[in-house]
Amino acid sequence: MMLRFVSIGLWLVALGWTCSGQPDPCDVPLVTDSGHKDNFTVVDLARELYACTMIKMIERAGLGPMFREKGPFTLFAPYDLAFGFLPDDIWNKLMSNNTYLRELLLFHTVPRLIGSIDNVYNDELIETMLPGKNIRLNVYQIGKMMVGGRGAADQAMGVTGRITACGGPVIDGGNATNGEVRIISNVMHPVPPGDIMDVIDNDKQFTELKKLVYLAKLQDYLKAGGPFTFFPPNNNGVDKLSRDELKKLEHNTTLLREVLLYHLLDWTLYASGSYDGEVLVTVQGESINLTVWYDSLWVNGHTNARVVYQDYNIYNGVLHIIDKVLIPPIIWQKYN
């Protein structure tokens, strides 16, 4: 990841060179003349907004002609630094698998004009050029940004907006002759693979959680309901339960159900809409709180459950994967 940040950093340093007549930092052949506004495409606009990595990926995937010759489009283009936060395995897959890259780019593209981003409503779903996959727009009316991690990068870029696209704050944008470009501070990844149960059923990091969900008979609720924010513990998190704790949960499905619902919110909260010290009421009824500690997001204090992967997009909400099962003492005591 360090080499990727260095590469992206060089592009960002190069931004000042364009103004002094030096080579274009995006280093992509310009087909249309940005000086002629009657043929100023979304590719040209993305170039002006310095979405250099996005442009390079569009060309790499062979989608340049489509974005120049067709439309209208609304292109959600992550700023360069956002790509540096992708896990190394995802970045490598994008660079080696052109089909995977095209799918991600089409997921960032809406085949129509959205218009003013200020007119969207919370949890609005917008159909993309990837069939069956929608971008979720959220409006967060809070005055604080999450500090650390991507939050620090957002602050450095002057992000103050509360409108997000799959968790990425919309920070800039403009209009072209064949569409619109909206600059976002996150790469919208992963492309939603399905609903909560699709992920739990098929992702191997949730095999232990899957057993508990079916034992509690919550599978239909998690599949059909929403939108949700779910904090699912991975296998390592479930393995941290003591033998006695696991036995009690497996033999008392009422307790198990309450514990699992304690991991669930009945609305969509992305990391960019959260803040340090935020208190959230769960579907179970008790509250959890969020803590930012050394650039990591934690649930119920920095010695409890750490969010190991945030903003996992799904059809009916978002997942924040944690490394520990949350057991509220008041519930545990009620069944002892």
Side-chain angles (χ1 to χ4, degrees):
M1 183 179 289
M2 181 58 68
L3 288 176
R4 181 147 37 94
F5 271 116
V6 170
S7 176
I8 292 172
L10 290 175
W11 284 337
L12 294 176
V13 170
L15 298 184
W17 298 352
T18 304
C19 298
S20 59
Q22 296 299 320
D24 188 332
C26 291
D27 191 28
V28 177
L30 185 61
V31 175
T32 54
D33 183 356
S34 60
H36 292 83
K37 298 302 182 181
D38 58 339
N39 192 24
F40 185 67
T41 71
V42 291
V43 174
D44 300 323
L45 179 56
R47 174 194 296 274
E48 281 203 353
L49 296 172
Y50 301 117
C52 300
T53 303
M54 188 68 171
I55 293 176
K56 286 174 179 285
M57 288 189 167
I58 286 173
E59 299 298 340
R60 185 186 187 96
L63 293 175
M66 180 191 78
F67 281 109
R68 292 188 180 95
E69 299 167 8
K70 298 181 180 181
F73 306 109
T74 298
L75 177 64
F76 285 87
Y79 65 40
D80 284 322
L81 193 58
F83 287 93
F85 289 103
L86 285 175
D88 289 338
D89 60 330
I90 300 302
W91 174 264
N92 293 334
K93 187 174 181 180
L94 288 173
M95 294 298 97
S96 61
N97 187 327
N98 211 45
T99 299
Y100 187 73
L101 175 60
R102 286 174 65 93
E103 287 183 353
L104 184 69
L105 295 174
L106 292 176
F107 178 60
H108 283 69
T109 308
V110 176
R112 64 177 177 85
L113 301 179
I114 293 178
S116 174
I117 201 71
D118 294 326
N119 293 330
V120 305
Y121 58 86
N122 192 47
D123 269 324
E124 182 175 356
L125 295 176
I126 299 179
E127 186 177 353
T128 71
M129 292 192 68
L130 193 60
K133 309 295 184 181
N134 298 323
I135 294 173
R136 183 180 296 274
L137 299 178
N138 288 94
V139 182
Y140 295 113
Q141 302 295 339
I142 58 176
K144 303 178 182 178
M145 289 294 292
M146 192 185 83
V147 296
R150 278 180 291 189
D154 291 342
Q155 290 175 342
M157 294 293 291
V159 177
T160 58
R162 299 285 74 213
I163 298 172
T164 65
C166 286
V170 180
I171 60 176
D172 201 354
N175 299 322
T177 54
N178 68 334
E180 308 164 334
V181 175
R182 298 292 178 254
I183 301 297
I184 54 177
S185 67
N186 290 15
V187 179
M188 296 190 294
H189 182 275
V191 175
D195 54 52
I196 291 180
M197 285 311 302
D198 290 327
V199 175
I200 292 176
D201 282 335
N202 297 296
D203 194 324
K204 293 182 179 179
Q205 67 178 314
F206 297 124
T207 54
E208 297 302 318
L209 175 63
K210 177 180 176 180
K211 298 174 187 176
L212 299 179
V213 168
Y214 278 91
L215 189 60
K217 294 181 170 55
L218 283 173
Q219 64 270 24
D220 292 339
Y221 178 64
L222 294 177
K223 189 171 189 67
F228 292 126
T229 301
F230 191 37
F231 294 85
N234 57 22
N235 290 336
N236 290 334
V238 177
D239 288 342
K240 290 178 183 178
L241 289 171
S242 70
R243 182 175 300 180
D244 288 342
E245 288 173 329
L246 184 58
K247 184 177 180 180
K248 183 177 288 290
L249 289 172
E250 291 175 337
H251 286 80
N252 188 333
T253 54
T254 302
L255 169 62
L256 174 60
R257 186 181 180 90
E258 287 207 43
V259 167
L260 292 176
L261 292 178
Y262 183 67
H263 294 70
L264 192 70
L265 309 178
D266 61 358
W267 55 293
T268 307
L269 177 64
Y270 283 91
S272 293
S274 64
Y275 59 90
D276 185 30
E278 186 170 12
V279 178
L280 306 165
V281 179
T282 69
V283 172
Q284 182 275 332
E286 299 296 327
S287 297
I288 60 174
N289 62 79
L290 303 181
T291 300
V292 178
W293 183 261
Y294 287 100
D295 291 347
S296 293
L297 184 62
W298 296 74
V299 183
N300 290 348
H302 68 272
T303 60
N304 204 322
R306 183 170 68 92
V307 176
V308 297
Y309 192 101
Q310 63 189 32
D311 294 347
Y312 190 121
N313 300 312
I314 53 174
Y315 286 174
N316 58 342
V318 63
L319 307 180
H320 303 293
I321 303 170
I322 57 177
D323 65 353
K324 186 178 181 180
V325 176
L326 303 171
I327 301 181
I330 190 170
I331 298 176
W332 196 256
Q333 293 167 6
K334 184 169 67 172
Y335 292 94
N336 276 283

